[in-house]
Amino acid sequence: MTAKSAAAAARSTVYGYPRQGRGRELKKAIEGYWKGRVDADVLRATATELRRANWRQLTAAGIHEVPTGDFSYYDHVLDTSVMVGAIPARHRAAVELDALDGYFAMARGTQDVAPLEMTKWFDTNYHYLVPELGPDTVFTTDSTKQVAELREALALGLTARPVLVGPVTYLLLAKPAPGVPADFDPLTLLDRLLPVYAEVLADLRAAGAEWAQLDEPALVQDRTPAELNAAARAYRDLGGATDRPKLLVASYFDRLGDALPVLAKAPVEGLALDFTESAAANLDALASVGGLPGKRLVAGVVNGRNVWVNDLTKSLAALGTLLGLADRVDVAASCSLLHVPLDAAAERDIEPQILRWLAFARQKTSEIVTLAKGLAQGTDTIAAELAANRADLASRAGSSLTRDPAVRARAAAVTDADARRAQPYAERTVAQRGHLGLPSLPTTTIGSFPQTAELRTARADLRARRIDTAGYEERIRAEIQEVIAFQEKTGLDVLVHGEPERNDMVQYFAEQLTGYLATQHGWVQSYGTRYVRPPILAGDISRPEPMTVRWTTYAQSLTSRPVKGMLTGPVTMLAWSFVRDDQPLGDTARQVALALRDEVDDLEAAGTSVVQVDEPALRETLPLRAADRAAYLAWATEAFRLTTAGVRPDTQIHTHMCYAEFGDIVQAIDDLDADVISLEAARSHMQVARELAGHGYPREAGPGVYDIHSPRVPSVAEAAALLRKGLEAIPAERLWVNPDCGLKTRGWPETRASLENLVAAARTVRTELAGS
């Protein structure tokens, strides 16, 4: 096909769409089902209507081919485990008894059965359920969900393309099941898995699928020759099957690198590639392998992970370059639109001038359609859209809202010494132990306590002016009193105020810093039914006044035990926001760090002896390619140290990280120079403690002994067993006892019981140590 005919054939598509609904109907239906207020039929009906609403919106916008199978009750990787029959042995009875309840048990656990481990989906804030596999794993086909959702779309008269997690990515994301040797490689199961995928593809073809998409984002990471050979073998076998739809193999989040020629040679009918800034190298690489003659190329030129309007002229130029490199060039977002909010038009509190700069899922869909039309019919047909887009881009570039000379001057004046504690850890720890007087195996929590319905109601009443500020603050004081009293009674050593005044660990600070915008409806799925509203970082950052000092000092006035000041760190403030893309991330991180440094200094001046600066996103934001990591870690660790380096030696700095693979960043954790780090470890059975020990980590650490993402209450024996496992790697004088993460999403009954058991476990092990 000529470049002209390839352009004329251009169509628009997306890989996935936000699942929750305009009013988070899915979240409400699922949580209603868990609480027994909604039955399974109502939940399924809600899900069906949300899928159809998404497809209707996409087709009304002009999308030619809609995705199916991207919708999920909890997680698409868990859906894949169900599809291939990879049900952990401990959950099989529940799944056989009731498939829906068994599905949720795998995700959340029950009082008697632990859930699957959860971790971050590549470098996003979405969490997936990690498949558990072993040499005895037997795969079986269950394409019920995938076929049913395809048939739903086809029955509506739509052109639909099923989307599946690809077999290579699925195995590369998996871990050895409990009891399986840690060196077991799930990729050795590929030949066992491929026939199941072939059966699923045959089922989809029989149901009417013309195309099927197999997502292989794991191939944008550094891969060994053996892994690349596995990818070649997988698509040789699947592509060689006769009873299948046409295959579109998709990658996103970064450049494909050495995997591109492997997939280009594979006997599949199409590739979907990311052509946004982070993966721009894909364009030259595609030309270097001779393009995709006779194949379909889906070009991801609209960024599916940020909220800024696309530069349509620039994207059209990239699309024009791609013409002639494939038989057909279609237009898409760079990845699923799952990672952005639904509709910017719903935001009534953002200034119209700024709203012009923003594109959520619906606006990105329109951009995709516009680009496809321009590519197929010529730029004259989209002249008005191009003119409006140029005006929007110019408005943002020229706005005074994005530049603050004082902030820039302060950031430029930072020196290396500003990001270094004045005393080494060996001196600081002596001063801190003398000052704090804590027992061995000190107990604490990560920060937040349950956000009850009463707290959410009080916050809503304040916004709606049904109560005044004085009434709201009285409610917050009462909650802090209850939280402090409970912690003292339970016997925790280092307390927290519980964060009742905070709506979100990032948004709360963003609303008090210049340069940030808050949304009212910008919900994005983090995991399961947990949705967050990432703020939008649009301009230079500063802190007009203290943000946390008032409530922290109030809590400290209620107890003689130390109360931690709680802050969200600069990297996480960026990672869990939609960040400006008009300057380097490191520059923005330095601005945020300086604002937070002011808060740390004010907390210390007010008498706070322990300050925790959470950085759960440090690993999440790690570049997918090893070659890009050193530069990132340099500015990321500097930003943390810049935030915390101004305190006295007897002020103890904590940090916290959760739900990520920490082995790749142990040196960076060391480079943070925090006095204490708490980490998620319960679901991974203390893996991170072993990783810290293997590195020779010299400071104090609290690997979690209570999995807060499950409603189950760990017993004293269970928590003590994890604590003993932690002691195998970390000496008692440096080991803390804490949950995996904050308790915001849990209820009070399970929180009370779990923390009481945690403290009892610490006392049990202290006694054992004293008697040994």
Side-chain angles (χ1 to χ4, degrees):
M1 184 180 287
T2 66
K4 183 176 181 180
S5 58
R11 297 290 184 268
S12 57
T13 190
V14 297
Y15 308 156
Y17 207 66
R19 301 161 178 165
Q20 67 267 25
R22 190 177 183 90
R24 289 183 296 157
E25 292 87 354
L26 184 63
K27 169 187 172 70
K28 296 169 185 175
I30 292 173
E31 292 181 351
Y33 177 75
W34 292 342
K35 294 174 182 177
R37 296 198 297 258
V38 171
D39 65 26
D41 289 340
V42 171
L43 173 56
R44 292 187 181 101
T46 300
T48 298
E49 179 50 38
L50 289 172
R51 285 193 295 270
R52 292 178 178 177
N54 281 353
W55 294 330
R56 285 193 295 266
Q57 188 277 319
L58 289 168
T59 53
I63 293 292
H64 297 103
E65 185 183 47
V66 301
T68 67
D70 62 303
F71 184 90
S72 179
Y73 285 123
Y74 206 97
D75 167 48
H76 56 277
V77 181
L78 179 59
D79 295 343
T80 307
S81 292
V82 173
M83 182 186 80
V84 302
I87 309 299
R90 65 186 182 279
H91 287 289
R92 286 176 194 156
V95 171
E96 290 171 1
L97 182 65
D98 186 295
L100 186 59
D101 287 346
Y103 176 89
F104 287 131
M106 287 189 285
R108 305 173 70 230
T110 67
Q111 184 55 43
D112 300 319
V113 182
L116 293 169
E117 182 181 342
M118 184 167 65
T119 194
K120 298 292 177 69
W121 175 249
F122 297 93
D123 57 348
T124 75
N125 190 34
Y126 177 83
H127 301 66
Y128 72 93
L129 278 302
V130 181
E132 295 178 357
L133 305 176
D136 297 329
T137 297
V138 176
F139 296 113
T140 57
T141 305
D142 182 359
S143 61
T144 305
K145 174 186 184 295
Q146 291 71 26
V147 168
E149 292 179 12
L150 171 64
R151 285 176 171 160
E152 279 182 26
L154 295 178
L156 296 174
L158 306 177
T159 300
R161 182 186 71 256
V163 178
L164 310 174
V165 176
V168 179
T169 289
Y170 178 76
L171 293 176
L172 289 171
L173 294 179
K175 282 189 171 182
V180 173
D183 61 355
F184 172 74
D185 182 2
L187 195 59
T188 59
L189 301 175
L190 181 63
D191 290 337
R192 204 181 298 177
L193 180 62
L194 289 177
V196 172
Y197 267 82
E199 290 180 10
V200 171
L201 291 170
D203 291 345
L204 291 170
R205 182 71 189 110
E210 179 185 0
W211 285 86
Q213 178 176 321
L214 293 162
D215 285 357
E216 293 287 6
L219 296 181
V220 306
Q221 297 173 298
D222 297 313
R223 290 298 164 200
T224 65
E227 290 166 341
L228 294 173
N229 287 337
R233 189 168 78 255
Y235 287 100
R236 179 198 66 204
D237 290 0
L238 293 177
T242 56
D243 188 15
R244 64 170 179 82
K246 297 175 184 176
L247 299 183
L248 177 70
V249 181
S251 66
Y252 37 82
F253 299 149
D254 211 319
R255 57 197 183 274
L256 265 177
D258 291 340
L260 180 55
V262 171
L263 295 180
K265 296 174 185 176
V268 300
E269 287 74 21
L271 296 185
L273 304 180
D274 185 345
F275 291 103
T276 56
E277 183 174 348
S278 64
N282 274 337
L283 199 156
D284 290 338
L286 186 62
S288 71
V289 299
L292 302 174
K295 295 187 178 183
R296 176 188 186 187
L297 171 64
V298 179
V301 293
V302 172
N303 195 314
R305 297 181 58 179
N306 72 20
V307 294
W308 306 108
V309 294
N310 183 264
D311 185 334
L312 297 181
T313 301
K314 182 177 178 181
S315 293
L316 278 171
L319 289 167
T321 303
L322 292 170
L323 295 176
L325 293 179
D327 189 59
R328 166 180 160 191
V329 178
D330 290 339
V331 183
S334 60
C335 60
S336 171
L337 295 176
L338 171 72
H339 305 291
V340 295
L342 184 59
D343 188 4
E347 301 301 328
R348 306 300 184 191
D349 296 336
I350 296 177
E351 294 180 28
Q353 173 191 351
I354 298 174
L355 202 60
R356 296 171 54 192
W357 309 344
L358 304 180
F360 294 178
R362 289 195 172 183
Q363 289 71 38
K364 289 179 183 295
T365 299
S366 296
E367 291 176 340
I368 292 165
V369 171
T370 296
L371 289 167
K373 181 180 179 182
L375 188 63
Q377 302 176 28
T379 56
D380 289 347
T381 64
I382 58 168
E385 290 91 337
L386 291 174
N389 179 248
R390 285 192 292 269
D392 293 342
L393 295 172
S395 168
R396 182 182 172 208
S399 174
S400 61
L401 296 173
T402 64
R403 298 288 190 276
D404 183 330
V407 170
R408 290 175 176 261
R410 185 185 182 193
V414 168
T415 67
D416 289 343
D418 292 326
R420 299 286 178 188
R421 298 283 291 270
Q423 297 80 17
Y425 170 73
E427 295 178 17
R428 301 196 309 260
T429 188
V430 173
Q432 291 160 17
R433 289 176 180 176
H435 180 55
L436 295 172
L438 299 174
S440 65
L441 305 181
T443 56
T444 189
T445 65
I446 303 307
S448 62
F449 266 66
Q451 285 273 323
T452 63
E454 292 78 12
L455 282 173
R456 291 192 295 271
T457 298
R459 198 172 292 124
D461 287 345
L462 179 65
R463 287 196 303 268
R465 300 183 180 179
R466 290 188 289 269
I467 60 173
D468 60 14
T469 300
Y472 173 72
E473 292 183 349
E474 182 58 36
R475 179 70 189 85
I476 297 300
R477 279 192 291 271
E479 185 71 17
I480 292 173
Q481 291 168 13
E482 180 179 352
V483 167
I484 293 293
F486 165 74
Q487 292 174 92
E488 285 196 314
K489 180 181 177 181
T490 302
L492 287 158
D493 299 305
V494 176
L495 313 188
V496 297
H497 79 289
E499 305 176 12
E501 79 285 6
R502 303 187 189 183
N503 46 14
D504 177 82
M505 67 180 289
V506 173
Q507 184 180 353
Y508 176 78
F509 294 98
E511 290 174 346
Q512 300 182 76
L513 296 169
T514 65
Y516 269 102
L517 308 172
T519 69
Q520 294 300 312
H521 305 285
W523 297 103
V524 176
Q525 186 180 21
S526 179
Y527 64 87
T529 61
R530 168 71 170 148
Y531 289 84
V532 295
R533 281 184 297 162
I536 299 169
L537 198 163
D540 289 342
I541 301 297
S542 63
R543 185 202 69 147
E545 59 186 13
M547 302 178 287
T548 67
V549 174
R550 178 187 178 194
W551 293 120
T552 304
T553 53
Y554 174 68
Q556 187 65 78
S557 74
L558 302 174
T559 180
S560 60
R561 300 180 190 183
V563 175
K564 286 192 285 191
M566 300 299 307
L567 305 177
T568 301
V571 176
T572 301
M573 287 296 296
L574 267 61
W576 294 0
S577 303
F578 292 114
V579 182
R580 62 191 303 176
D581 58 355
D582 58 348
Q583 68 180 22
L585 278 174
D587 292 355
T588 306
R590 180 173 285 192
Q591 293 180 3
V592 177
L594 288 168
L596 293 173
R597 182 187 181 102
D598 294 341
E599 189 72 13
V600 171
D601 292 350
D602 283 348
L603 281 166
E604 183 185 59
T608 303
S609 298
V610 181
V611 179
Q612 182 169 307
V613 181
D614 290 344
E615 282 293 21
L618 182 68
R619 171 61 180 85
E620 168 192 317
T621 317
L622 187 71
L624 298 177
R625 293 281 183 178
D628 304 327
R629 292 177 178 176
Y632 158 73
L633 289 171
W635 65 253
T637 54
E638 183 214 52
F640 181 90
R641 294 193 308 271
L642 185 59
T643 300
T644 58
V647 298
R648 300 187 308 266
D650 62 350
T651 296
Q652 192 171 72
I653 296 295
H654 289 225
T655 190
H656 170 68
M657 299 179 191
C658 57
Y659 295 96
E661 301 297 322
F662 300 112
D664 292 335
I665 60 163
V666 175
Q667 180 59 55
I669 291 173
D670 198 350
D671 292 342
L672 295 178
D673 198 25
D675 300 306
V676 182
I677 183 169
S678 55
L679 300 122
E680 174 272 327
R683 289 197 187 187
S684 61
H685 310 286
M686 288 286 162
Q687 175 181 327
V688 69
R690 297 187 292 273
E691 291 170 344
L692 291 175
H695 174 76
Y697 185 74
R699 300 175 190 83
E700 298 174 43
V705 298
Y706 162 28
D707 173 18
I708 69 89
H709 288 292
S710 170
R712 63 188 302 272
V713 175
S715 66
V716 174
E718 181 182 344
L722 281 173
L723 190 50
R724 294 185 195 102
K725 190 177 287 289
L727 283 166
E728 294 173 4
I730 300 171
E733 64 270 19
R734 292 196 282 111
L735 187 66
W736 284 63
V737 185
N738 45 259
D740 274 344
C741 201
L743 300 165
K744 175 181 178 179
T745 61
R746 301 270 53 92
W748 262 109
E750 68 211 60
T751 295
R752 288 191 181 95
S754 297
L755 291 180
E756 287 166 355
N757 289 352
L758 181 149
V759 171
R763 288 171 175 163
T764 296
V765 177
R766 282 178 195 152
T767 300
E768 294 170 358
L769 292 172
S772 61

